[in-house]
Short mmCIF file of all heavy atoms in Angstrom, two decimals:
data_model
loop_
_atom_site.label_atom_id
_atom_site.label_comp_id
_atom_site.label_asym_id
_atom_site.label_seq_id
_atom_site.Cartn_x
_atom_site.Cartn_y
_atom_site.Cartn_z
N PHE A 138 106.44 64.04 -132.26
CA PHE A 138 107.74 64.66 -132.64
C PHE A 138 108.86 63.74 -132.23
O PHE A 138 108.72 62.84 -131.44
CB PHE A 138 107.90 66.07 -132.01
CG PHE A 138 108.09 66.07 -130.52
CD1 PHE A 138 109.36 66.11 -129.97
CD2 PHE A 138 106.99 66.08 -129.67
CE1 PHE A 138 109.55 66.12 -128.59
CE2 PHE A 138 107.18 66.09 -128.28
CZ PHE A 138 108.44 66.11 -127.76
N PHE A 139 110.03 64.00 -132.86
CA PHE A 139 111.21 63.17 -132.61
C PHE A 139 112.11 63.95 -131.67
O PHE A 139 112.52 65.06 -131.96
CB PHE A 139 111.92 62.84 -133.91
CG PHE A 139 113.05 61.87 -133.75
CD1 PHE A 139 112.81 60.55 -133.51
CD2 PHE A 139 114.37 62.32 -133.83
CE1 PHE A 139 113.86 59.63 -133.37
CE2 PHE A 139 115.42 61.44 -133.67
CZ PHE A 139 115.15 60.09 -133.43
N HIS A 140 112.43 63.36 -130.50
CA HIS A 140 113.30 63.97 -129.51
C HIS A 140 114.75 63.66 -129.95
O HIS A 140 115.24 62.56 -129.75
CB HIS A 140 113.01 63.39 -128.15
CG HIS A 140 113.50 64.23 -127.02
ND1 HIS A 140 114.85 64.45 -126.77
CD2 HIS A 140 112.83 64.91 -126.04
CE1 HIS A 140 114.99 65.21 -125.73
NE2 HIS A 140 113.77 65.52 -125.26
N THR A 141 115.38 64.67 -130.56
CA THR A 141 116.67 64.45 -131.20
C THR A 141 117.76 63.99 -130.22
O THR A 141 118.48 63.04 -130.49
CB THR A 141 117.15 65.73 -131.90
OG1 THR A 141 116.03 66.39 -132.46
CG2 THR A 141 118.13 65.44 -133.01
N LYS A 142 117.88 64.68 -129.08
CA LYS A 142 118.93 64.33 -128.11
C LYS A 142 118.76 62.90 -127.60
O LYS A 142 119.73 62.18 -127.46
CB LYS A 142 118.92 65.29 -126.93
CG LYS A 142 119.65 66.56 -127.19
CD LYS A 142 119.73 67.41 -125.91
CE LYS A 142 120.39 68.72 -126.22
NZ LYS A 142 120.27 69.65 -125.08
N GLU A 143 117.55 62.52 -127.29
CA GLU A 143 117.31 61.19 -126.73
C GLU A 143 117.04 60.13 -127.80
O GLU A 143 116.84 58.96 -127.45
CB GLU A 143 116.12 61.26 -125.75
CG GLU A 143 116.43 62.15 -124.55
CD GLU A 143 115.30 62.22 -123.54
OE1 GLU A 143 114.46 61.31 -123.56
OE2 GLU A 143 115.28 63.16 -122.73
N LYS A 144 117.01 60.53 -129.06
CA LYS A 144 116.82 59.62 -130.17
C LYS A 144 115.58 58.74 -129.98
O LYS A 144 115.63 57.52 -130.05
CB LYS A 144 118.05 58.69 -130.35
CG LYS A 144 119.35 59.47 -130.62
CD LYS A 144 119.49 59.71 -132.10
CE LYS A 144 120.81 60.33 -132.45
NZ LYS A 144 120.84 61.77 -132.57
N ARG A 145 114.46 59.40 -129.70
CA ARG A 145 113.22 58.64 -129.53
C ARG A 145 112.02 59.49 -130.00
O ARG A 145 112.07 60.73 -129.98
CB ARG A 145 112.98 58.21 -128.11
CG ARG A 145 112.85 59.33 -127.14
CD ARG A 145 112.71 58.82 -125.70
NE ARG A 145 112.92 59.87 -124.77
CZ ARG A 145 112.17 60.07 -123.69
NH1 ARG A 145 111.20 59.24 -123.41
NH2 ARG A 145 112.42 61.04 -122.87
N PHE A 146 110.99 58.81 -130.37
CA PHE A 146 109.75 59.48 -130.77
C PHE A 146 108.90 59.73 -129.54
O PHE A 146 108.85 58.88 -128.62
CB PHE A 146 108.91 58.60 -131.72
CG PHE A 146 109.27 58.79 -133.16
CD1 PHE A 146 110.04 57.85 -133.84
CD2 PHE A 146 108.84 59.92 -133.87
CE1 PHE A 146 110.33 58.02 -135.17
CE2 PHE A 146 109.14 60.11 -135.20
CZ PHE A 146 109.90 59.14 -135.85
N MET A 147 108.23 60.85 -129.50
CA MET A 147 107.20 61.16 -128.51
C MET A 147 105.91 61.14 -129.36
O MET A 147 105.63 62.06 -130.12
CB MET A 147 107.44 62.51 -127.87
CG MET A 147 108.76 62.59 -127.13
SD MET A 147 108.93 61.38 -125.80
CE MET A 147 107.89 62.14 -124.54
N TRP A 148 105.13 60.06 -129.24
CA TRP A 148 104.03 59.81 -130.14
C TRP A 148 102.74 60.48 -129.70
O TRP A 148 102.43 60.55 -128.51
CB TRP A 148 103.78 58.31 -130.25
CG TRP A 148 104.80 57.57 -131.02
CD1 TRP A 148 105.79 56.79 -130.53
CD2 TRP A 148 104.94 57.52 -132.46
NE1 TRP A 148 106.53 56.26 -131.56
CE2 TRP A 148 106.05 56.69 -132.74
CE3 TRP A 148 104.23 58.10 -133.52
CZ2 TRP A 148 106.46 56.42 -134.04
CZ3 TRP A 148 104.65 57.83 -134.82
CH2 TRP A 148 105.73 56.99 -135.07
N HIS A 149 101.97 60.87 -130.67
CA HIS A 149 100.54 61.15 -130.47
C HIS A 149 99.89 59.78 -130.60
O HIS A 149 100.14 59.08 -131.55
CB HIS A 149 100.05 62.11 -131.56
CG HIS A 149 98.62 62.49 -131.42
ND1 HIS A 149 98.21 63.66 -130.83
CD2 HIS A 149 97.49 61.83 -131.77
CE1 HIS A 149 96.89 63.72 -130.84
NE2 HIS A 149 96.43 62.62 -131.39
N LEU A 150 99.04 59.42 -129.65
CA LEU A 150 98.41 58.08 -129.68
C LEU A 150 96.91 58.23 -129.62
O LEU A 150 96.39 59.05 -128.87
CB LEU A 150 98.80 57.30 -128.43
CG LEU A 150 99.95 56.33 -128.44
CD1 LEU A 150 99.95 55.53 -127.14
CD2 LEU A 150 99.95 55.40 -129.60
N LYS A 151 96.21 57.42 -130.38
CA LYS A 151 94.76 57.34 -130.24
C LYS A 151 94.47 55.94 -129.71
O LYS A 151 94.90 54.96 -130.26
CB LYS A 151 94.04 57.58 -131.56
CG LYS A 151 92.51 57.58 -131.37
CD LYS A 151 91.78 58.01 -132.62
CE LYS A 151 91.73 59.50 -132.68
NZ LYS A 151 90.88 60.01 -133.77
N LEU A 152 93.74 55.88 -128.62
CA LEU A 152 93.36 54.62 -127.97
C LEU A 152 91.86 54.45 -128.13
O LEU A 152 91.08 55.26 -127.65
CB LEU A 152 93.72 54.63 -126.47
CG LEU A 152 95.20 54.93 -126.15
CD1 LEU A 152 95.36 55.10 -124.64
CD2 LEU A 152 96.08 53.81 -126.67
N ILE A 153 91.47 53.38 -128.83
CA ILE A 153 90.04 53.12 -129.04
C ILE A 153 89.62 51.89 -128.24
O ILE A 153 90.27 50.84 -128.32
CB ILE A 153 89.77 52.85 -130.54
CG1 ILE A 153 90.13 54.11 -131.35
CG2 ILE A 153 88.34 52.44 -130.78
CD1 ILE A 153 90.03 53.95 -132.88
N PHE A 154 88.61 52.07 -127.41
CA PHE A 154 88.06 51.01 -126.59
C PHE A 154 86.70 50.67 -127.16
O PHE A 154 85.67 51.21 -126.71
CB PHE A 154 87.96 51.46 -125.13
CG PHE A 154 89.27 51.74 -124.49
CD1 PHE A 154 89.88 53.01 -124.60
CD2 PHE A 154 89.94 50.78 -123.75
CE1 PHE A 154 91.09 53.29 -124.02
CE2 PHE A 154 91.19 51.05 -123.17
CZ PHE A 154 91.73 52.31 -123.31
N PRO A 155 86.61 49.78 -128.18
CA PRO A 155 85.36 49.56 -128.89
C PRO A 155 84.22 49.00 -128.05
O PRO A 155 83.07 49.34 -128.30
CB PRO A 155 85.73 48.60 -130.02
CG PRO A 155 87.03 48.04 -129.68
CD PRO A 155 87.72 49.01 -128.72
N GLN A 156 84.55 48.19 -127.05
CA GLN A 156 83.47 47.61 -126.23
C GLN A 156 82.86 48.62 -125.27
O GLN A 156 81.86 48.32 -124.63
CB GLN A 156 83.95 46.38 -125.47
CG GLN A 156 84.07 45.10 -126.36
CD GLN A 156 85.25 45.14 -127.28
OE1 GLN A 156 86.40 45.16 -126.83
NE2 GLN A 156 85.02 45.14 -128.59
N SER A 157 83.45 49.79 -125.13
CA SER A 157 82.87 50.84 -124.30
C SER A 157 82.51 52.05 -125.15
O SER A 157 82.16 53.08 -124.62
CB SER A 157 83.85 51.26 -123.22
OG SER A 157 83.98 50.25 -122.23
N SER A 158 82.66 51.90 -126.45
CA SER A 158 82.41 53.02 -127.39
C SER A 158 83.10 54.31 -126.94
O SER A 158 82.50 55.38 -126.91
CB SER A 158 80.90 53.27 -127.56
OG SER A 158 80.28 52.10 -127.98
N THR A 159 84.37 54.18 -126.55
CA THR A 159 85.12 55.30 -126.02
C THR A 159 86.48 55.38 -126.69
O THR A 159 87.07 54.34 -127.00
CB THR A 159 85.33 55.13 -124.50
OG1 THR A 159 84.05 54.90 -123.88
CG2 THR A 159 85.95 56.35 -123.85
N GLU A 160 86.96 56.58 -126.91
CA GLU A 160 88.34 56.73 -127.38
C GLU A 160 89.00 57.91 -126.70
O GLU A 160 88.36 58.84 -126.26
CB GLU A 160 88.39 56.84 -128.90
CG GLU A 160 87.67 58.01 -129.55
CD GLU A 160 87.81 57.99 -131.04
OE1 GLU A 160 87.40 57.02 -131.70
OE2 GLU A 160 88.33 58.98 -131.58
N PHE A 161 90.31 57.80 -126.56
CA PHE A 161 91.12 58.83 -125.94
C PHE A 161 92.32 59.16 -126.83
O PHE A 161 92.79 58.26 -127.54
CB PHE A 161 91.68 58.34 -124.58
CG PHE A 161 90.64 58.02 -123.56
CD1 PHE A 161 90.14 56.74 -123.43
CD2 PHE A 161 90.15 59.00 -122.72
CE1 PHE A 161 89.18 56.42 -122.50
CE2 PHE A 161 89.19 58.73 -121.77
CZ PHE A 161 88.70 57.42 -121.65
N SER A 162 92.75 60.38 -126.79
CA SER A 162 93.99 60.76 -127.47
C SER A 162 95.00 61.11 -126.35
O SER A 162 94.65 61.72 -125.38
CB SER A 162 93.80 61.95 -128.36
OG SER A 162 93.07 61.56 -129.51
N GLN A 163 96.22 60.66 -126.57
CA GLN A 163 97.28 60.93 -125.60
C GLN A 163 98.43 61.55 -126.35
O GLN A 163 98.80 61.11 -127.41
CB GLN A 163 97.67 59.61 -124.95
CG GLN A 163 98.36 59.77 -123.61
CD GLN A 163 98.60 58.43 -122.95
OE1 GLN A 163 97.96 57.43 -123.20
NE2 GLN A 163 99.55 58.43 -122.03
N ARG A 164 99.02 62.60 -125.76
CA ARG A 164 100.15 63.30 -126.39
C ARG A 164 101.45 62.93 -125.72
O ARG A 164 101.49 62.61 -124.56
CB ARG A 164 99.94 64.80 -126.32
CG ARG A 164 98.76 65.28 -127.09
CD ARG A 164 98.42 66.74 -126.75
NE ARG A 164 97.51 67.26 -127.71
CZ ARG A 164 97.87 68.03 -128.75
NH1 ARG A 164 99.12 68.35 -128.91
NH2 ARG A 164 96.96 68.47 -129.58
N ARG A 165 102.51 63.04 -126.51
CA ARG A 165 103.88 62.86 -126.01
C ARG A 165 104.09 61.56 -125.26
O ARG A 165 104.58 61.56 -124.13
CB ARG A 165 104.28 64.06 -125.14
CG ARG A 165 104.22 65.35 -125.94
CD ARG A 165 104.75 66.51 -125.17
NE ARG A 165 104.77 67.68 -126.07
CZ ARG A 165 105.38 68.77 -125.81
NH1 ARG A 165 106.05 68.94 -124.69
NH2 ARG A 165 105.35 69.78 -126.66
N VAL A 166 103.73 60.47 -125.89
CA VAL A 166 103.94 59.16 -125.28
C VAL A 166 105.29 58.65 -125.75
O VAL A 166 105.51 58.51 -126.97
CB VAL A 166 102.83 58.17 -125.72
CG1 VAL A 166 103.07 56.81 -125.11
CG2 VAL A 166 101.47 58.69 -125.32
N SER A 167 106.19 58.39 -124.82
CA SER A 167 107.52 57.93 -125.17
C SER A 167 107.47 56.58 -125.85
O SER A 167 106.75 55.69 -125.40
CB SER A 167 108.40 57.84 -123.91
OG SER A 167 109.62 57.14 -124.22
N ASP A 168 108.27 56.40 -126.90
CA ASP A 168 108.29 55.09 -127.58
C ASP A 168 108.97 54.03 -126.76
O ASP A 168 108.98 52.87 -127.11
CB ASP A 168 108.92 55.22 -128.98
CG ASP A 168 110.40 55.59 -128.99
OD1 ASP A 168 111.02 55.64 -127.88
OD2 ASP A 168 110.95 55.84 -130.07
N ARG A 169 109.48 54.38 -125.58
CA ARG A 169 110.12 53.41 -124.69
C ARG A 169 109.14 52.79 -123.71
O ARG A 169 109.45 51.80 -123.02
CB ARG A 169 111.26 54.06 -123.92
CG ARG A 169 112.39 54.47 -124.87
CD ARG A 169 113.53 55.09 -124.16
NE ARG A 169 114.50 55.60 -125.15
CZ ARG A 169 115.38 56.53 -124.89
NH1 ARG A 169 115.49 57.05 -123.72
NH2 ARG A 169 116.22 56.92 -125.85
N GLN A 170 107.93 53.39 -123.62
CA GLN A 170 106.92 52.81 -122.69
C GLN A 170 106.34 51.53 -123.25
O GLN A 170 106.14 51.42 -124.47
CB GLN A 170 105.79 53.82 -122.48
CG GLN A 170 106.10 54.95 -121.54
CD GLN A 170 104.83 55.68 -121.18
OE1 GLN A 170 104.27 56.41 -121.99
NE2 GLN A 170 104.34 55.46 -119.96
N THR A 171 106.04 50.58 -122.36
CA THR A 171 105.37 49.37 -122.83
C THR A 171 103.87 49.65 -122.98
O THR A 171 103.37 50.62 -122.41
CB THR A 171 105.55 48.21 -121.83
OG1 THR A 171 104.85 48.56 -120.61
CG2 THR A 171 107.00 47.88 -121.55
N LEU A 172 103.20 48.82 -123.73
CA LEU A 172 101.76 49.01 -123.90
C LEU A 172 101.02 48.89 -122.54
O LEU A 172 100.07 49.58 -122.29
CB LEU A 172 101.16 48.00 -124.90
CG LEU A 172 101.62 48.19 -126.37
CD1 LEU A 172 100.90 47.22 -127.25
CD2 LEU A 172 101.39 49.60 -126.84
N GLU A 173 101.52 47.98 -121.69
CA GLU A 173 100.90 47.83 -120.38
C GLU A 173 101.01 49.12 -119.58
O GLU A 173 100.07 49.55 -118.94
CB GLU A 173 101.53 46.65 -119.65
CG GLU A 173 100.75 46.27 -118.41
CD GLU A 173 101.22 44.96 -117.77
OE1 GLU A 173 101.60 44.05 -118.52
OE2 GLU A 173 101.15 44.89 -116.54
N GLN A 174 102.20 49.77 -119.66
CA GLN A 174 102.37 51.05 -118.94
C GLN A 174 101.44 52.12 -119.50
O GLN A 174 100.88 52.90 -118.75
CB GLN A 174 103.83 51.53 -119.07
CG GLN A 174 104.81 50.70 -118.29
CD GLN A 174 106.26 51.11 -118.62
OE1 GLN A 174 106.59 51.39 -119.76
NE2 GLN A 174 107.12 51.10 -117.60
N ILE A 175 101.27 52.12 -120.80
CA ILE A 175 100.41 53.12 -121.46
C ILE A 175 98.94 52.88 -121.05
O ILE A 175 98.19 53.84 -120.81
CB ILE A 175 100.56 53.03 -123.00
CG1 ILE A 175 101.98 53.52 -123.39
CG2 ILE A 175 99.48 53.85 -123.72
CD1 ILE A 175 102.36 53.22 -124.81
N LEU A 176 98.52 51.63 -120.91
CA LEU A 176 97.12 51.33 -120.62
C LEU A 176 96.77 51.33 -119.15
O LEU A 176 95.60 51.43 -118.79
CB LEU A 176 96.77 49.97 -121.23
CG LEU A 176 96.73 49.90 -122.75
CD1 LEU A 176 96.43 48.48 -123.22
CD2 LEU A 176 95.70 50.87 -123.32
N THR A 177 97.76 51.23 -118.29
CA THR A 177 97.50 51.18 -116.84
C THR A 177 96.62 52.36 -116.34
O THR A 177 95.66 52.09 -115.61
CB THR A 177 98.84 51.08 -116.05
OG1 THR A 177 99.41 49.80 -116.31
CG2 THR A 177 98.62 51.23 -114.56
N PRO A 178 96.88 53.61 -116.73
CA PRO A 178 96.03 54.69 -116.23
C PRO A 178 94.56 54.61 -116.72
O PRO A 178 93.69 55.29 -116.21
CB PRO A 178 96.68 55.97 -116.80
CG PRO A 178 98.02 55.57 -117.23
CD PRO A 178 98.00 54.12 -117.55
N TYR A 179 94.31 53.75 -117.70
CA TYR A 179 92.96 53.61 -118.23
C TYR A 179 92.20 52.41 -117.65
O TYR A 179 91.04 52.54 -117.33
CB TYR A 179 92.99 53.48 -119.76
CG TYR A 179 93.53 54.72 -120.44
CD1 TYR A 179 94.89 54.83 -120.72
CD2 TYR A 179 92.70 55.78 -120.76
CE1 TYR A 179 95.40 55.98 -121.33
CE2 TYR A 179 93.20 56.90 -121.38
CZ TYR A 179 94.55 57.01 -121.64
OH TYR A 179 95.07 58.14 -122.21
N ILE A 180 92.86 51.26 -117.58
CA ILE A 180 92.11 50.04 -117.25
C ILE A 180 92.63 49.24 -116.06
O ILE A 180 92.14 48.16 -115.80
CB ILE A 180 91.99 49.13 -118.49
CG1 ILE A 180 93.38 48.66 -118.97
CG2 ILE A 180 91.24 49.81 -119.62
CD1 ILE A 180 93.30 47.59 -120.09
N HIS A 181 93.59 49.77 -115.34
CA HIS A 181 94.09 49.06 -114.18
C HIS A 181 93.07 49.22 -113.04
O HIS A 181 92.58 50.33 -112.79
CB HIS A 181 95.46 49.59 -113.75
CG HIS A 181 96.13 48.73 -112.72
ND1 HIS A 181 95.85 48.82 -111.39
CD2 HIS A 181 97.04 47.76 -112.85
CE1 HIS A 181 96.57 47.94 -110.72
NE2 HIS A 181 97.32 47.29 -111.59
N PRO A 182 92.70 48.13 -112.32
CA PRO A 182 91.67 48.18 -111.28
C PRO A 182 91.93 49.23 -110.18
O PRO A 182 90.99 49.83 -109.69
CB PRO A 182 91.63 46.78 -110.71
CG PRO A 182 92.31 45.91 -111.69
CD PRO A 182 93.25 46.78 -112.49
N THR A 183 93.16 49.42 -109.80
CA THR A 183 93.44 50.35 -108.69
C THR A 183 94.20 51.62 -109.13
O THR A 183 94.12 52.63 -108.45
CB THR A 183 94.27 49.66 -107.57
OG1 THR A 183 95.46 49.14 -108.16
CG2 THR A 183 93.46 48.54 -106.93
#
């Protein structure tokens, strides 16, 4: 959905990790987040 006041999209995202045959869906991801920030909860070592 589009957050009218903040003028930004809150995206539905599908993340596919082909080398692990795994995929995740994430809701309400701000279009201001970097890809690294989005992926950190999935693949960051700590």
Side-chain angles (χ1 to χ4, degrees):
F138 69 94
F139 187 73
H140 199 294
T141 323
K142 277 186 184 169
E143 297 182 18
K144 301 272 186 264
R145 64 182 165 138
F146 273 104
M147 299 300 283
W148 288 103
H149 181 98
L150 265 189
K151 184 172 276 188
L152 303 172
I153 298 175
F154 296 87
Q156 282 75 63
S157 290
S158 303
T159 307
E160 61 180 60
F161 297 93
S162 287
Q163 200 173 339
R164 295 168 167 260
R165 300 187 175 193
V166 179
S167 168
D168 65 8
R169 294 181 186 159
Q170 282 192 287
T171 66
L172 292 185
E173 193 170 324
Q174 288 171 323
I175 293 166
L176 292 176
T177 292
Y179 296 92
I180 62 173
H181 191 277
T183 56

